[in-house]
DNA sequence: ATGTCC
């Protein structure tokens, strides 16, 4: 007989609050009511929710009932400042109200020092995607985001540009052989890499429990907007930082992050932060940890490990493909866009959170992709203080995933790919080019923040699905 | 973003 299994979302559906009562209820039902059907169990839980006082004496269900009653509240209570710190908005005309509102709220946090909103911004959990927030000695796990260390990595090969068309099937096979996509995807055999020997994996208890799966996911790409693609890199003019002769090259561009490792770190430490610091409901995702306290330092260490792990994932992919092609890249450009850094902003040491924002310090290289058919850009930062030395991390979504699925037709999608001459492996309607803003508009909105030193035009794209 | 589990 199937064992009873209740999920948090089942309880949310019948009106359970976002409190620990959820885990108590799941625990009690799965232990003592495991022979009940899901429907029967939910009915009982619903009754308890409506009249918890009636169940207080019940030796088993009383545990759930008690969890509904007000308890001694833990953690320190904080309120938002009346006025937020001022922040610059780039490309305001194309930024949705949701993202703006989230940024205004973040600016009112007691630890906020400065902020900025990038032209590809859209709403996320806590800080908007495309949001930059500098804080005073505090790190906000959801200011970094769930996919810690998510990044772009570009290898430029000295391969004749015409090969991409001429040997399309060869490059397609490379992508198929060397990458693995999918939400829970992992390899059967773990890849050897020094990152997996880091002491940190043993020193922090949470990380110890995540090591085995992280190892099997090393070099995988995950899902969503992540991709690995071949395309053309074009450089028009010598740049002393990029150091590539003008010309057209074959490029390998990848976009992915730290897989389940980063997600688990993010969720664990945001829970910890939320239990230590209680914030008004509308900003409860923005709970922070102080870098003076043990938990904050631990998050910082774990976040940095996840960032290095994300980098290693790209390295594995690029090394595999390069060695299969029998080539060494002439140049590699790489940048995180979900991370927190210690930086000096206007003379003051701050923690800069970039959640879906490209670091754009003076002469710092980065990659800003368009869409699967639109060009991307190799950029060099100008270190503009108003943007907290940041830029957009892509075109940004114009439609939500569900909106895209409902409004874009398979036919129009295929036609667009054909028109652009792009071969797509995997990839769903929710990632169709129409779901994204126009990258040229986004680049115009931030032309003061970065200089374009090269372009990338996608040709063979692999995504999940 | 992640095989979500508070």
């Amino acid at each position: 007989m199937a064992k009873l299994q209740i999920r948090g979302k089942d309880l949310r559906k019948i009106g359970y609050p976002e409190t620990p009562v959820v885990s108590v209820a799941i625990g009690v039902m799965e232990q003592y009511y495991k022979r009940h059907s899901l429907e029967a169990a939910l009915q009982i839980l619903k009754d308890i929710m409506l009249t918890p006082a009636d169940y207080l004496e019940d030796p088993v269900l009383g545990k759930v009932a008690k969890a509904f009653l007000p308890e001694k509240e833990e953690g320190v209570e904080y309120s938002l400042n009346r006025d937020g710190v001022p922040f610059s908005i780039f490309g305001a005309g194309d930024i949705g109200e949701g993202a703006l509102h989230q940024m205004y709220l973040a600016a009112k946090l007691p630890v906020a020092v400065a902020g900025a909103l990038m032209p590809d911004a859209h709403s996320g959990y806590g800080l908007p995607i495309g949001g930059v927030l500098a804080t005073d000695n505090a790190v906000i796990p959801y200011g970094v985001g769930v996919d810690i260390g998510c990044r772009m990595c570009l290898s430029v090969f000295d391969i004749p540009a015409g090969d991409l068309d001429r040997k399309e099937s060869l490059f397609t096979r490379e992508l198929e052989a060397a990458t693995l996509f999918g939400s829970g995807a992992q390899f059967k055999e773990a890849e050897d890499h020094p990152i997996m020997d880091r002491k940190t994996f043993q020193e922090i208890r949470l990380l110890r429990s995540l090591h085995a799966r992280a190892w099997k996911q090393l070099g995988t790409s995950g899902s969503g907007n992540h991709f690995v693609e071949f395309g053309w890199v074009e450089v028009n003019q010598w740049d002393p930082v990029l150091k590539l002769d003008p010309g057209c090259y074959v490029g390998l561009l990848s976009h992915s992050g730290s897989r389940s490792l980063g997600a688990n770190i993010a969720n664990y430490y945001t829970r910890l932060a939320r239990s230590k610091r209680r914030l008004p409901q509308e900003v409860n995702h923005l709970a922070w940890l102080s870098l003076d306290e043990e938990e904050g330092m631990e998050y910082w260490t774990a976040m940095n490990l996840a960032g290095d792990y994300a980098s290693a994932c790209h390295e594995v992919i690029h090394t595999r493909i390069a060695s299969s092609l029998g080539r060494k890249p002439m140049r590699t450009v790489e940048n995180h866009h979900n991370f927190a850094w210690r930086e000096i902003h206007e003379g003051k040491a701050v923690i800069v959170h970039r959640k879906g924002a490209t670091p754009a310090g003076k002469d710092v290289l980065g990659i800003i992709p368009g869409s699967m058919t639109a060009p991307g850009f190799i950029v060099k930062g100008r270190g503009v203080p108003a943007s907290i030395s940041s830029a957009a991390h892509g075109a940004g979504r114009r439609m939500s995933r569900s909106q895209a699925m409902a409004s874009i037709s398979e036919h129009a999608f295929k036609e667009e790919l054909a028109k652009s001459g792009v071969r797509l492996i995997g990839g769903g309607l929710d990632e169709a080019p129409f779901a994204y803003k126009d990258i040229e508009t986004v680049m115009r909105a931030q032309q003061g923040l970065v200089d374009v030193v090269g372009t990338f035009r996608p040709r063979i794209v692999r995504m999940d699905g």
Side-chain angles (χ1 to χ4, degrees), chain A residues 278-297:
Chain A
R278 290 183 300 106
L279 295 170
Q281 174 66 31
E282 67 270 29
V283 289
N284 62 10
H285 282 105
L286 292 174
W288 68 87
L289 294 166
S290 163
L291 286 163
D292 291 333
E293 65 195 4
E294 201 182 333
E295 296 91 333
M297 290 187 278

Side-chain angles (χ1 to χ4, degrees), chain A residues 233-239 242-249 453:
Chain A
V233 172
E234 252 185 271
V235 176
N236 288 327
Q237 174 183 337
W238 169 265
D239 179 89
L242 182 63
K243 295 188 173 71
L244 268 180
D245 286 324
C248 186
Y249 309 93
V453 293

